[in-house]
Amino acid sequence: AGKLGRGGRRLIRLRDTFFEKGAQGAPALREWLREEGNREFAEWTEKYPGHVLAPVARFYGGRGLILTSRFAEGRRWLRSILEARDGTSLRDDALFWEGYAFQQERRPTDAARSFGVLLRDYSWSASASKIRGKFEPAGPEPEPPDQPAVRGDL
């Protein structure tokens, strides 16, 4: 954590508190998130937007928002991870929590879409193992419209 600076040390303490409160049970975690955790993750991401650990903060912040029933806001935080080009290893977990948020909102089609992408793109992950057999993997990812089609005769 030394090379990650003050921001890194602060985030690691926040993450550790998240785990400690979670180990005490869901009510303790939700109370901490409502009273201070969600605010602290938001302050951290505002203060250190380009930090190497910013995706980690966005993940735990988004998850915290979802766990306190702030589903749309939490999904926006997770979506920033899914749309980033930084190659973060948190995409599978972000997809799981996005799907979970949709389930909590009783939006089964949207949940199935998130879980389907998780099963298609991260079938090997622990997050995918939690939903395997309950949802179908998504079909092939469509080619971006600005990419020319590959022709066999070129």
Side-chain angles (χ1 to χ4, degrees):
K3 293 190 183 240
L4 297 175
R6 179 176 289 146
R9 288 189 300 275
R10 182 174 174 213
L11 181 61
I12 289 168
R13 282 193 304 273
L14 275 173
R15 184 212 52 196
D16 289 350
T17 302
F18 189 105
F19 290 147
E20 290 166 9
K21 297 297 181 180
Q24 294 172 18
L29 176 58
R30 286 186 179 102
E31 180 181 348
W32 174 75
L33 288 166
R34 282 188 191 104
E35 291 180 4
E36 58 188 289
N38 287 338
R39 176 184 42 79
E40 289 189 34
F41 281 114
E43 289 171 358
W44 193 97
T45 57
E46 189 173 309
K47 186 170 184 175
Y48 304 102
H51 196 282
V52 68
L53 293 177
V56 174
R58 289 192 311 269
F59 172 73
Y60 284 102
R63 187 174 162 189
L65 291 164
I66 289 167
L67 288 171
T68 55
S69 302
R70 294 167 62 183
F71 302 116
E73 192 177 355
R75 283 196 321 275
R76 278 193 300 276
W77 279 51
L78 297 175
R79 187 52 39 191
S80 72
I81 294 168
L82 298 170
E83 293 173 355
R85 302 269 186 235
D86 61 6
T88 181
S89 62
L90 294 168
R91 285 192 176 107
D92 58 317
D93 295 320
L95 281 164
F96 175 84
W97 283 97
E98 179 184 63
Y100 174 83
F102 283 131
Q103 281 185 318
Q104 297 305 301
E105 293 177 291
R106 292 179 171 73
R107 294 173 57 182
T109 302
D110 293 322
R113 185 178 328 107
S114 294
F115 289 145
V117 173
L118 171 60
L119 289 167
R120 180 192 67 203
D121 295 351
Y122 304 98
S123 61
W124 47 265
S125 72
S127 291
S129 71
K130 295 174 188 176
I131 58 165
R132 193 170 290 114
K134 299 174 187 171
F135 296 90
E136 292 295 318
E141 189 169 357
E143 203 171 303
D146 59 342
Q147 298 292 319
V150 176
R151 292 183 35 191
D153 62 337
L154 293 179

